[in-house]
Amino acid sequence: MSATTRRRTASLLLGAALITLTATACNSTGGPSVATEPKQSAAASAPAGGGKPADAPKVAQVGDTIPLKGNDPADTAEVTLVKVVDNAEADNEYVHPADGKRFVAVQFRIKASGKKAYSDAPGNGAKVLDAQGQAFGTTVADTKAGPSFQVPANIAPGESALGFVTFEVPKDVKLDKAQFGLDSGFAPQTGQWKIG
């Protein structure tokens, strides 16, 4: 069995297990939310020259970090969208996007900031969207953009991991946003970054 097949099988099994667990869990947060404001240091959020802070929140972009919550209060992470590589080339000569499609590789850094370790398949909780809101999920393909996350990614509290997640999208689509959620995307909060 190839490494790609093992990762695909592990991702599917982990995703199915998390869906089952999530469906039976009680969510007391009042419903899902989308976080678009990046984490800022106290110095960065203080107004310059003693003035009032800006009323409009900053929208997260490439390079920004968003703190995210999982279904368990002890399960939190700080997720950074590090880089987007459009038209990424597969690292295997036998792997190609389908006709009329292209690979887009998105690099995330995940820091387990809670009391629990992060243990998930990061690709299950990631997606990209176009300007009309059409969402595109991940595909199991490694690209020359850089290494993908191991599946599952196991990150100890206080530690972080860096990896790419690959999407297969139509060639003519202009991507606008990237999203990431804990618990394979079933957490009560999803981070969103502007990429287009």
Side-chain angles (χ1 to χ4, degrees):
M1 182 184 293
S2 72
T4 300
T5 303
R6 283 193 302 269
R7 276 198 304 250
R8 181 179 295 135
T9 302
S11 291
L12 292 173
L13 290 174
L14 183 60
L18 286 170
I19 288 169
T20 302
L21 288 172
T22 303
T24 60
C26 178
N27 184 354
S28 62
T29 62
S33 67
V34 176
T36 60
E37 190 168 351
K39 177 182 172 183
Q40 296 180 353
S41 67
S45 60
K52 290 200 279 185
D55 290 336
K58 181 181 175 195
V59 175
Q61 298 182 11
V62 175
D64 287 332
T65 300
I66 298 177
L68 295 174
K69 299 173 186 174
N71 287 309
D72 182 330
D75 183 17
T76 62
E78 293 180 358
V79 180
T80 306
L81 191 153
V82 178
K83 184 190 297 186
V84 177
V85 179
D86 205 343
N87 275 323
E89 186 179 344
D91 73 348
N92 180 327
E93 65 180 296
Y94 301 106
V95 175
H96 304 284
D99 287 344
K101 296 195 175 184
R102 71 185 195 271
F103 287 143
V104 176
V106 178
Q107 188 179 43
F108 291 99
R109 178 179 301 281
I110 303 167
K111 179 180 181 183
S113 59
K115 295 179 182 176
K116 286 178 58 177
Y118 173 93
S119 183
D120 200 353
N124 290 347
K127 59 184 162 184
V128 290
L129 297 91
D130 66 14
Q132 287 73 43
Q134 175 66 53
F136 303 94
T138 60
T139 186
V140 180
D142 292 325
T143 69
K144 292 182 179 179
S148 299
F149 282 103
Q150 292 297 307
V151 177
N154 294 306
I155 308 167
E159 299 293 320
S160 64
L162 181 70
F164 277 93
V165 175
T166 304
F167 301 88
E168 188 173 11
V169 302
K171 281 187 178 179
D172 59 348
V173 162
K174 180 172 176 16
L175 296 177
D176 186 51
K177 297 175 183 77
Q179 292 186 341
F180 189 91
L182 304 182
D183 300 321
S184 284
F186 290 96
Q189 185 180 39
T190 299
Q192 181 171 279
W193 294 261
K194 178 82 170 161
I195 61 172

